[in-house]
Amino acid sequence: MIRVLLADDEELIRDALAALLDLEPDLEVVARAGDGRAAVEAARAHRPDVAVVDLQMPQLDGLEVTEELARVLPSCAVVILTGRGRPPHLQQALHAGAKGFLPKGSPRRHAR
């Protein structure tokens, strides 16, 4: 089972992502956070395998969360989720330690 943390300051986005991930038999959403500080605290408490983190959040932004998780929980892979998928953001995210970068407008695909 892959344990997932969802961090986005928009509750609707968090809930929608959780609902989609709950459809996958090998994924378990173990925590949700509405700001960057809460995301780091939830990661420390729940030790997820993957954190899906919004780029722009209050308290700590997604890049700061990524850097902090790389330091305190290096086994957690971070995927940055953003509505603004521009090349400089991608470079910054990868430099911070993110393993992936996903624009919010990406199409949903089914793997069967």
Side-chain angles (χ1 to χ4, degrees):
M1 186 67 70
I2 300 170
R3 299 166 46 84
V4 180
L5 161 73
L6 299 175
D8 196 300
D9 59 328
E10 295 183 43
E11 186 175 2
L12 180 62
I13 298 294
R14 284 193 317 270
D15 290 347
L17 282 172
L20 286 173
L21 294 177
D22 281 343
L23 297 174
E24 300 297 327
D26 56 348
L27 298 176
E28 177 187 11
V29 176
V30 295
R32 301 179 198 186
D35 65 63
R37 179 82 51 218
V40 172
E41 291 171 9
R44 284 182 166 177
H46 297 279
R47 307 193 63 78
D49 301 304
V50 177
V52 179
V53 179
D54 188 21
L55 183 62
Q56 295 183 326
M57 291 186 295
Q59 303 295 318
L60 298 174
D61 68 23
L63 298 176
E64 293 167 317
V65 170
T66 301
E67 290 170 345
E68 183 68 11
L69 291 182
R71 190 176 67 75
V72 301
L73 191 61
S75 63
C76 179
V78 177
V79 175
I80 297 287
L81 183 65
T82 183
R84 295 179 175 84
R86 301 208 178 17
H89 294 133
L90 172 60
Q91 292 170 350
Q92 291 172 334
L94 294 175
H95 181 71
K99 302 297 183 199
F101 190 84
L102 182 65
K104 288 183 181 178
S106 296
R108 180 175 169 222
R109 294 206 173 108
H110 296 280
R112 302 206 191 246

